[in-house]
DNA sequence: CCTGGCCTCCCGGCCAGCGGAAGGAGGCTG
DNA sequence: CAGCCTCCTTCCGCTGGCCGGGAGGCCAGG
């Protein structure tokens, strides 16, 4: 019997987490063997862990035998600070902007070298966009991304400028030009893009400033995406600014309250 | 050394899950000792598990030392079917209803003997309501709850009627009267409440029917909450019905697509 | 300076978890 | 309809990873 001989130092918890980690947005529903393979766990081990995770409610087993994320993990996820603080505070303001403009409105925060989309309001008549809540998109090719990039520490800016991906034929990838854009965003207080992430859409975005004991900081970026035939893009900047200031004020209050 | 002697059969995974389970909406931020106590885990064991969970990103440790749910669990939660299928399909329709009415709109599903609030659209000018995304409220005291109750199997109805909680002085708790209301909801196709869950608000709700291979079924309930001085509550029923039918159709399509 | 609360780290015994392998269920093919 | 394949479930004895008491550190308050 091989026994635990080949466990290679991975702890039980690490294996259980690896099993959970097998799920992602490209694979939200998996069979036992897929999970075993994706998590690098022997079949029978995966089977046992899945039994426990399912029993607790972290996962759910469908009638067809496949596994998916369970309600209990959904619940836990709702307790994450990004959800509990940012989203709940910001949602009504995004709604205001959407009501005034009828376009797709986004709220994103920086996570490493990506923009993490935290909230989105988009009706059925809005332009189709790639971003969803939970998506991570590059900092250099979206409106909210550029705002977050302009507010990021220098080492992040340098790392992003070193290898900007080309998303469409309009994506700006020249480091010098990106550097100029970042400076411009800092000066003007808003960012704009034209078909740099997906063809047929323009975007503008502004920072959400929050007063903290340590001084003002950019906590998020608020942006709007419109079809590319629109001419009056900059008209939206004041609308976004009003909402962003409202969000910032509420966040500062929430911070003070702890 | 006590060793594993007193483990009482709880598996490692069960302990790790117990640690996660220490978090809930009333306690989204916890210290090590609180977690140890709430999860019934010895301090040093909790400490070790927290280290692993934090390392993986399931939890996050704040500068002040307390733990909270991490981004990675938030991500995973977004993959739950309730989020991925229902919410994403329904969100634009809730938005439509909100735009037309400016009131707070809810989508809920039944989970056991509770109504689980899955999505909510509410501006800043809407009436304040207790429900949040992820809340569980009683089936007998809310609009969406009554709709879900009317669609529930008999044993659930009986169980709910046996011990209805009194939420406000207007809550209907007499089993006979509740039974009559359920029959009425089934006949009329909508439910209404008047200050039964929180004072100062009325609500109406309709079922979301989905065509399935096994026949039509109520997948969710769509409801709206308005301040109690409004007189034209029933005017909203057709609005909700249009949206509910739209959601049902999209869900059936999504089902077919798998 | 002491006290108390809270966190971090250490260590050796022991049992819970490990995973290969056999067997079952179901579906597709020739 | 037999044969084959894929996928899932269960079994079981060995062993290495987990357990948790306790020592010690850190910090705030008295």
């Amino acid at each position: 019997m091989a026994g635990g001989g080949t466990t290679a130092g991975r702890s039980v918890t690490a294996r259980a987490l690896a099993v959970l980690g097998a799920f992602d947005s490209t694979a939200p529903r998996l069979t036992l063997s897929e999970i075993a393979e994706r998590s690098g766990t022997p079949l029978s081990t995966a089977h046992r862990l899945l039994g426990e995770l399912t029993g607790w409610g972290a996962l759910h087993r469908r009638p067809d035998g496949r596994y998916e994320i369970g309600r209990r993990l959904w619940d836990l996820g709702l307790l994450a600070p990004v959800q509990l603080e940012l989203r709940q505070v910001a949602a009504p303001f995004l709604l205001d902007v959407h009501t005034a403009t009828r376009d797709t409105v986004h709220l994103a925060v920086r996570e490493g070298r990506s923009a993490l989309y935290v909230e989105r309001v988009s009706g059925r008549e809005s332009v189709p966009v790639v971003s969803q809540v939970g998506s991570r998109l590059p900092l250099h090719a979206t409106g909210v991304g550029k705002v977050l990039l302009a507010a990021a520490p220098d080492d992040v800016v340098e790392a992003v400028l070193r290898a900007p991906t080309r998303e469409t034929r309009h994506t700006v990838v020249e480091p010098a030009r990106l550097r100029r854009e970042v400076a411009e965003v800092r000066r003007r207080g808003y960012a704009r893009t034209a078909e740099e992430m997906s063809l047929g859409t323009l975007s503008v975005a502004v920072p959400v400033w929050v007063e903290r004991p340590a001084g003002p900081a950019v906590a998020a970026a608020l942006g709007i995406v419109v079809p590319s035939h629109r001419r009056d893009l900059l008209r939206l900047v004041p609308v976004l600014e009003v909402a962003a200031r409202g969000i910032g004020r509420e966040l500062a209050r929430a911070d003070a309250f702890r």
Side-chain angles (χ1 to χ4, degrees), chain A residues 16-246:
Chain A
L17 291 173
V19 164
L20 291 181
F23 294 85
D24 65 32
S25 55
T26 68
R29 257 190 306 270
L30 296 168
T31 66
L32 167 60
S33 351
E34 286 167 341
I35 293 171
E37 164 140 16
R38 292 173 65 99
S39 64
T41 312
L43 194 70
S44 57
T45 302
H47 183 252
R48 189 166 18 82
L49 291 174
L50 284 168
E52 282 202 86
L53 292 167
T54 304
W56 189 76
L59 298 178
H60 172 74
R61 189 150 200 197
R62 300 159 44 99
D64 69 6
R66 284 187 291 176
Y67 295 87
E68 58 194 2
I69 299 295
R71 290 236 171 103
R72 195 129 180 211
L73 273 193
W74 180 68
D75 274 6
L76 276 182
L78 295 179
L79 302 177
V82 71
Q83 168 86 25
L84 216 55
E85 292 162 18
L86 241 190
R87 272 194 86 176
Q88 279 187 10
V89 163
F93 292 95
L94 299 219
L95 203 53
D96 289 346
V97 176
H98 174 80
T99 304
T101 65
R102 314 259 73 211
D103 293 306
T104 299
V105 188
H106 283 138
L107 187 78
V109 298
R110 185 172 65 81
E111 187 183 66
R113 299 179 196 175
S114 302
L116 173 61
Y117 283 69
V118 161
E119 178 62 308
R120 172 186 130 149
V121 177
S122 135
R124 267 168 312 120
E125 70 281 10
S126 319
V127 284
V129 285
V130 286
S131 60
Q132 295 202 335
V133 171
S135 306
R136 282 153 180 91
L137 295 181
L139 288 175
H140 67 283
T142 68
V144 287
K146 284 183 186 183
V147 166
L148 295 172
L149 186 60
D154 286 341
D155 58 324
V156 173
V157 177
E158 293 310 315
V160 169
L161 295 196
R162 209 167 297 131
T165 52
R166 176 177 290 285
E167 305 292 338
T168 73
R169 64 177 180 276
H170 298 288
T171 311
V172 178
V173 291
E174 301 80 17
R177 193 167 150 208
L178 279 172
R179 212 180 295 274
R180 231 177 304 131
E181 287 196 357
V182 164
E184 206 168 306
V185 171
R186 288 187 183 139
R187 198 174 59 246
R188 291 198 184 151
Y190 66 85
R192 58 184 299 178
T193 64
E195 313 199 75
E196 295 172 37
M197 190 67 216
S198 53
L199 296 176
T201 67
L202 312 177
S203 73
V204 246
V206 303
V208 175
W209 288 94
V210 182
E211 285 298 332
R212 303 213 193 254
V218 173
L222 180 68
I224 193 166
V225 178
V226 303
S228 54
H229 55 75
R230 289 280 187 81
R231 290 276 150 245
D232 53 351
L233 197 58
L234 294 188
R235 182 183 61 82
L236 298 174
V237 171
V239 180
L240 290 174
E241 277 173 342
V242 169
R245 228 162 269 154

